[in-house]
Amino acid sequence: MDRTILHCDMDGFYASVELLEHPELKHVPVAVCGNPENRHGIILAKNTHAKKYNVKTAETVWQAKKKCPDLHLLPPHHYKYKEYSLKINEIYQRFTDMVEPFSIDESWLDVSASLKLFGTGRQIADTLRETIRGELGLTLSVGVSFNKIFAKMGSDYNKPDGTTVISRDNYKQLLWPMDVRKMFFVGSATAEKLNKSGIHTIGDLARTDRGLLTALLGKQGGMLYEYANGLDSSPVCRYSEREKIKSVGNGTTFRRNLIGIDDIKVAVTALSDTVASRLRKYQMKGAGIKVDIKDPDFKVISRQKQLSAPTNLAEEIFREAISIIEASWKLNAPIRMLTITAINLCDENEAQQLSFFDENTASHEKGEKVERAIDDIRARFGENAITFGRVLNNDIGIDPKDNRSD
């Protein structure tokens, strides 16, 4: 029997939360940006009225104001978004314990065991939309399907404030005519490769031989074939399972050996960025950092240290990892493989707060705003939409990711 999966995606989440305290702006164009006083600040979110002027996430404030001179700008308040995210997921858990947050404003729900209590998938989706609108004053769009991927694509199909059911009977009609870029986990680089091979729509992708896709894209090719044909069987995790994560790490074997501090910094920058973004996705922080180093002779050393305060920021993880390496490794000795892991994890809402008098507080808060802005841009435009300059055009085998998958 097919599962009934919902993907719930809040509509213009940041902007909608900010407008709760600015009801006078409800019917005018509004955008949330990093620094409303800075013409070069980045647009993080916008409301429906701003979208009518083609205001886009990740463009600069001056570009947005050029399109919409009357655009009202509001600063972000990430603590508010965390609070509302928790409230929203608590509402989801009234209907099922199978709730898997995907980001601060998106979650999958498996309601297969709840149908006898609450009705069909569509009915549950509509009830959730009504409940969240009534209790929190926010709207969301919901996709309903027999797997996670199609549910996710369904939530994007009828925005804002809509429910879309993608079934075995209609998925070819609804999804296959769409541009292949609309396929979940297809980024710009992958789409370019597919287009060059004559694959322009999701239907083209589904009808292409799996072996050819694997030859073209590697493991990702087989995965995309399954997704386009509705063969995704990945489970929805219970909400409580997020708390069982003990560590978050990332490692790679390099195209060539790392030699010297410059090479090491390139590698540590990329690895720290991935670890930090995953921690923020799980809404967790690491109270310690562990570094594993393997040399060309397969000798491995492992070193770790406790932090003065838990973190999920790439810059702070980078700094601590470099400190560990400098203290435990001859910098001119070759490194074949490097792994960076955040350990001793805790919920970011329960993490030890930085002291008000800590001289690093302002720097930490600024770093958090910057990295969460990066998360927002990547969530909308793909993981390779923005990266650290140090990583660009490297020759050690670290490439920007083409999607936001773990």
Side-chain angles (χ1 to χ4, degrees):
M1 179 181 294
D2 278 339
R3 299 173 296 164
T4 301
I5 308 294
L6 275 56
H7 183 268
C8 299
D9 188 359
M10 302 305 298
D11 296 322
F13 184 52
Y14 287 7
S16 297
V17 170
E18 297 297 341
L19 285 172
L20 293 175
E21 295 187 7
H22 295 278
E24 74 279 6
L25 301 178
K26 185 176 181 180
H27 299 294
V28 300
V30 173
V32 178
C33 60
N35 184 355
E37 304 302 323
N38 185 349
R39 295 176 67 252
H40 298 288
I42 298 296
I43 300 296
L44 302 179
K46 68 278 185 188
N47 68 353
T48 302
H49 299 288
K51 290 180 182 179
K52 294 178 181 178
Y53 291 86
N54 200 32
V55 173
K56 296 181 179 180
T57 302
E59 70 181 354
T60 61
V61 169
W62 74 267
Q63 288 174 318
K65 293 283 284 185
K66 188 175 181 180
K67 298 175 182 176
C68 182
D70 295 326
L71 183 67
H72 291 261
L73 302 174
L74 297 173
H77 296 88
H78 289 283
Y79 73 91
K80 293 182 182 179
Y81 312 145
K82 293 179 188 177
E83 291 175 359
Y84 274 94
S85 180
L86 290 172
K87 292 177 181 179
I88 292 163
N89 279 286
E90 287 172 357
I91 291 175
Y92 295 157
Q93 290 175 80
R94 298 177 193 173
F95 295 83
T96 176
D97 65 339
M98 306 291 285
V99 177
E100 180 183 344
F102 183 60
S103 67
I104 196 169
D105 63 342
E106 300 178 58
S107 292
W108 277 294
L109 287 66
D110 187 333
V111 297
S112 303
S114 305
L115 301 181
K116 291 184 179 180
L117 291 174
F118 302 111
T120 65
R122 178 184 287 277
Q123 290 171 330
I124 294 174
D126 290 342
T127 300
L128 282 170
R129 290 171 47 230
E130 180 181 351
T131 302
I132 290 175
R133 184 190 300 109
E135 295 187 16
L136 302 180
L138 302 172
T139 66
L140 70 156
S141 299
V142 186
V144 184
S145 194
F146 54 92
N147 66 50
K148 291 169 68 175
I149 300 302
F150 283 177
K152 163 68 175 157
M153 297 179 71
S155 68
D156 291 331
Y157 196 87
N158 186 25
K159 278 183 166 291
D161 196 19
T163 296
T164 300
V165 178
I166 298 180
S167 67
R168 291 195 182 276
D169 294 328
N170 70 5
Y171 77 86
K172 294 181 181 180
Q173 175 187 353
L174 292 181
L175 301 181
W176 280 18
M178 295 170 64
D179 190 295
V180 73
R181 288 174 172 78
K182 297 292 185 180
M183 185 72 233
F184 193 40
F185 285 126
V186 171
S188 57
T190 297
E192 184 177 351
K193 291 180 182 178
L194 292 171
N195 289 168
K196 289 180 178 178
S197 299
I199 301 169
H200 299 281
T201 68
I202 295 176
D204 293 339
L205 181 65
R207 289 185 289 263
T208 300
D209 180 77
R210 178 174 181 155
L212 292 177
L213 289 173
T214 302
L216 179 65
L217 301 173
K219 183 179 179 181
Q220 185 190 18
M223 177 189 73
L224 291 177
Y225 174 86
E226 293 183 356
Y227 288 173
N229 283 284
L231 302 177
D232 170 51
S233 60
S234 57
V236 175
C237 298
R238 284 185 170 83
Y239 190 78
S240 59
E241 290 182 2
R242 177 178 60 95
E243 300 174 357
K244 297 178 181 178
I245 300 173
K246 300 300 182 182
S247 65
V248 172
N250 190 35
T252 189
T253 299
F254 304 104
R255 183 177 297 148
R256 63 168 176 80
N257 294 335
L258 306 184
I259 301 291
I261 191 63
D262 290 340
D263 277 355
I264 292 172
K265 285 184 176 180
V266 171
V268 174
T269 296
L271 297 176
S272 298
D273 181 29
T274 302
V275 171
S277 64
R278 291 178 181 176
L279 285 169
R280 293 192 296 272
K281 174 181 174 181
Y282 299 137
Q283 299 180 16
M284 305 191 85
K285 292 186 175 183
I289 298 297
K290 182 166 74 78
V291 176
D292 296 293
I293 303 173
K294 179 187 292 185
D295 70 12
D297 296 323
F298 300 100
K299 176 184 176 182
V300 178
I301 71 165
S302 181
R303 300 289 186 270
Q304 64 185 56
K305 67 181 294 186
Q306 284 296 108
L307 307 181
S308 58
T311 186
N312 53 15
L313 300 185
E315 185 61 33
E316 295 178 359
I317 294 172
F318 168 86
R319 185 170 60 246
E320 299 298 339
I322 288 293
S323 174
I324 293 172
I325 294 170
E326 288 179 334
S328 58
W329 190 258
K330 293 181 180 180
L331 298 182
N332 288 325
I335 295 175
R336 181 62 177 155
M337 181 177 182
L338 189 62
T339 300
I340 296 175
T341 306
I343 59 175
N344 303 329
L345 303 190
C346 57
D347 190 290
E348 66 179 6
N349 295 308
E350 298 174 0
Q352 176 184 347
Q353 298 297 311
L354 291 171
S355 167
F356 180 78
F357 300 102
D358 190 332
E359 63 181 5
N360 293 320
T361 298
S363 176
H364 177 89
E365 291 178 349
K366 181 180 179 180
E368 182 169 5
K369 290 179 180 178
V370 169
E371 295 197 25
R372 290 193 184 278
I374 291 173
D375 290 341
D376 297 331
I377 294 169
R378 288 171 171 171
R380 289 164 173 80
F381 299 102
E383 197 72 18
N384 63 342
I386 185 169
T387 190
F388 291 86
R390 183 184 286 139
V391 177
L392 293 174
N393 302 318
N394 70 85
D395 66 345
I396 63 175
I398 292 180
D399 300 313
K401 292 178 222 162
D402 193 42
N403 54 57
R404 57 177 171 163
S405 166
D406 282 350

